Amino acid sequence: MLKDKAVVVTGASKGIGNAVALEFAKKGANIVVNYRSSEPTKLIEEINALGVKALAVKADVSDFEQAKSLVDTCINEFGNLDVLVNNAGITKDTLIMRMSEEDFDSVIKTNLKGAFNMIKHASKFMIKAKRGSIINMSSVVGLTGNMGQANYAASKAGIIGLTYSAAKEFALRGITCNAIAPGFIKTDMTDVLSDSVKEKILENIPLKRFGQPEEVARLAVFLAENRYITGQVMNIDGGMVMN
């Protein structure tokens, strides 16, 4: 279903975004790999080796015009935009009493406004084509909150509200919009945690392990391929948050 489709993955230079871009490529999709600082040369080579096209585009999605340029580049290169994965995100963790206004604003601007910017520009082409899939990366902390992450949790909770609203607005246009809420996934962010912190986290995960980026990536592909799922938040957290 994804062969020759055009997929934009924001924040794809490493971690979950990297795995998502590669998984879509394995399904035969052409990929626009967005990054802000670290050029994903190895990822581009891996995708090209699969026999599909990959294009690395540097852009800060929190900037409205740069987000537009990213979408326009995809359209100019591939002629369409079938799947948008809003994965770009940053963290600036600290307690509220120590959190600066800049720390709060920058996280909201990248994580939440960045997703809005991309949806705003991408939906124009999806509406015209009467098809498309939008997948937003939220987080379990957007559902539960977390000490020291008020800015990040607020941005990820906002992603959920944005997802619900977009799903309702675009449904009649043949466009689905869903959110993925990962728990603790093994990435650079979790690798820096001490063993004692990791053990404490694992106590609250029924499956007693961290998730793999590839597991999140396969869920993203599933949501893109299934045309009768929209307006949903899919937890992938080893059972850590059970509703």
Side-chain angles (χ1 to χ4, degrees):
M1 291 179 65
L2 292 170
K3 183 174 174 56
D4 298 325
K5 301 297 185 183
V7 179
V8 173
V9 184
T10 68
S13 63
K14 57 184 178 180
I16 290 174
N18 190 294
V20 168
L22 192 57
E23 192 67 25
F24 273 98
K26 290 177 181 177
K27 293 290 186 176
N30 298 313
I31 314 295
V32 174
V33 178
N34 162 248
Y35 69 101
R36 187 168 68 171
S37 56
S38 302
E39 188 168 358
T41 305
K42 182 180 178 182
L43 175 60
I44 296 298
E45 292 174 351
E46 288 180 307
I47 293 174
N48 286 333
L50 293 170
V52 297
K53 297 178 182 177
L55 182 66
V57 180
K58 184 176 182 179
D60 181 351
V61 298
S62 71
D63 182 280
F64 193 76
E65 292 304 320
Q66 288 189 48
K68 181 179 185 301
S69 178
L70 173 58
V71 170
D72 289 343
T73 299
C74 177
I75 298 299
N76 294 335
E77 181 70 19
F78 299 123
N80 57 309
L81 198 174
D82 300 285
V83 181
L84 168 63
V85 182
N86 282 313
N87 173 75
I90 63 171
T91 58
K92 290 194 175 182
D93 297 349
T94 190
L95 297 174
I96 291 173
M97 62 188 297
R98 298 190 186 119
M99 188 176 292
S100 68
E101 182 181 14
E102 190 278 331
D103 285 343
F104 187 87
D105 289 349
S106 61
V107 171
I108 296 294
K109 187 176 180 182
T110 296
N111 299 7
L112 181 55
K113 186 173 184 290
F116 163 78
N117 289 343
M118 290 301 297
I119 291 172
K120 170 75 174 179
H121 297 306
S123 61
K124 171 184 174 182
F125 298 98
M126 291 181 174
I127 288 171
K128 186 176 180 180
K130 296 182 180 179
R131 69 175 188 273
S133 175
I134 299 168
I135 300 164
N136 299 319
M137 285 294 169
S138 182
S139 168
V140 292
V141 302
L143 298 167
T144 65
N146 196 31
M147 288 182 61
Q149 287 192 306
N151 48 4
Y152 186 75
S155 72
K156 294 303 185 177
I159 284 286
I160 292 172
L162 178 62
T163 298
Y164 288 153
S165 298
K168 290 181 177 181
E169 288 188 22
F170 299 142
L172 289 178
R173 307 286 186 165
I175 301 166
T176 61
C177 186
N178 295 287
I180 296 175
F184 284 91
I185 308 299
K186 186 173 174 54
T187 63
D188 292 344
M189 292 174 66
T190 56
D191 287 344
V192 299
L193 299 175
S194 67
D195 289 341
S196 60
V197 170
K198 289 179 182 178
E199 289 175 7
K200 189 173 182 179
I201 292 171
L202 289 172
E203 290 176 1
N204 295 314
I205 301 176
L207 286 180
K208 301 302 179 187
R209 69 174 178 86
F210 288 167
Q212 296 295 323
E214 293 76 16
E215 292 174 306
V216 181
R218 288 193 290 271
L219 176 55
V221 167
F222 169 76
L223 289 173
E225 289 183 326
N226 194 301
R227 306 306 304 153
Y228 202 57
I229 298 176
T230 195
Q232 301 301 310
V233 179
M234 310 289 283
N235 288 17
I236 179 164
D237 58 10
M240 187 173 70
V241 178
M242 296 189 186
N243 296 325

